Amino acid sequence: TQLLEQSPQFLSIQEGENLTVYCNSSSVFSSLQWYRQEPGEGPVLLVTVVTGGEVKKLKRLTFQFGDARKDSSLHITAAQPGDTGLYLCAPPGSGGYNKLIFGAGTRLAVHP
Amino acid sequence: DTGVSQDPRHKITKRGQNVTFRCDPISEHNRLYWYRQTLGQGPEFLTYFQNEAQLEKSRLLSDRFSAERPKGSFSTLEIQRTEQGDSAMYLCASSSEDSHFGPGTRLLVL
């Protein structure tokens, strides 16, 4: 059962543009993680958001956890080709034994 | 770098053959997970080990799949009588708190 909906599914932009991707659910989560997966590699953890309304910044990436802890967004400023990849969200531990239940992801392509 | 490693990185096999994948987790991690990822999807949970004990198996893990972690360190995932639908990326992750993923084994069944 897919708990999370990620949008958009695909995003193709030019270098230097800004973008926002979303992770939505009808469930309340105690925390949410964002991962980036580059082609041919495993996902890499970017951030964990814990508190409703929390905003975390990682260089040009800004992560926000919704006030109700049901949704999250990732905003990238001045995207670069190195940002290309699959962006996945998952609530850690919601599936028991700390296994991850991922959304389908947003596939981002940033063109030079 | 003492991250999670997986071997092989790529495997092409014919339908009906058996394949085995290996995962070497981060040494101090007692939790180990296998996931499967098909094109256009996020990784889906297959099975979980705590040390050498296999504590959870997904319904995705049919009878043709078996996983072991005999000494609580490395793990193997075997698929018997492979089918074309088994073609996917097989990811291993280990954790103490946060999950660390390996690079995956990409399987293509012809």
Side-chain angles (χ1 to χ4, degrees):
Chain A
T1 303
Q2 198 69 274
L3 297 176
L4 296 162
E5 287 192 9
Q6 291 194 245
S7 61
Q9 277 189 292
F10 302 98
L11 196 53
S12 180
I13 62 171
Q14 293 297 123
E15 183 175 2
E17 292 184 22
N18 301 333
L19 67 118
T20 303
V21 299
Y22 301 92
C23 173
N24 296 306
S25 175
S26 57
S27 302
V28 176
F29 300 119
S30 57
S31 63
L32 196 75
Q33 293 183 326
W34 283 92
Y35 290 78
R36 178 170 64 215
Q37 184 177 20
E38 296 183 10
E41 298 295 331
V44 174
L45 178 63
L46 296 174
V47 78
T48 303
V49 286
V50 178
T51 307
E54 179 178 10
V55 175
K56 280 191 173 179
K57 292 194 174 184
L58 189 66
K59 297 183 181 179
R60 293 175 295 100
L61 278 59
T62 301
F63 303 84
Q64 184 160 10
F65 201 14
D67 292 340
R69 290 183 286 122
K70 292 183 178 182
D71 54 82
S72 182
S73 63
L74 159 58
H75 181 79
I76 302 179
T77 303
Q80 299 178 0
D83 296 326
T84 292
L86 179 66
Y87 288 82
L88 297 157
C89 64
S94 68
Y97 292 125
N98 266 9
K99 67 176 179 280
L100 294 166
I101 301 176
F102 288 95
T106 292
R107 191 165 297 279
L108 172 66
V110 182
H111 303 283
Chain B
D1 188 332
T2 57
V4 179
S5 61
Q6 292 188 244
D7 183 69
R9 293 291 307 273
H10 304 274
K11 179 71 178 180
I12 301 174
T13 191
K14 292 183 179 178
R15 190 176 48 164
Q17 298 295 304
N18 300 342
V19 295
T20 300
F21 309 142
R22 177 179 170 121
C23 171
D24 286 273
I26 293 171
S27 57
E28 60 266 29
H29 288 177
N30 60 0
R31 296 175 181 165
L32 187 146
Y33 307 82
W34 285 97
Y35 294 83
R36 181 172 69 188
Q37 185 176 25
T38 53
L39 207 59
Q41 298 296 319
E44 295 175 291
F45 169 77
L46 290 179
T47 191
Y48 164 65
F49 288 87
Q50 183 155 329
N51 300 311
E52 67 276 8
Q54 188 175 20
L55 297 185
E56 187 173 354
K57 292 194 288 187
S58 161
R59 285 174 295 176
L60 292 175
L61 214 65
S62 76
D63 291 345
R64 297 183 296 105
F65 287 68
S66 62
E68 295 183 341
R69 194 183 183 196
K71 297 181 180 179
S73 56
F74 74 91
S75 176
T76 58
L77 177 68
E78 181 183 17
I79 309 174
Q80 295 183 327
R81 304 180 303 281
T82 52
E83 301 173 355
Q84 288 182 323
D86 297 331
S87 295
M89 171 82 95
Y90 290 84
L91 291 160
C92 174
S94 69
S95 78
S96 55
E97 292 187 9
D98 294 327
S99 287
H100 297 255
F101 284 83
T105 294
R106 185 171 293 281
L107 172 67
L108 177 60
V109 182
L110 300 175

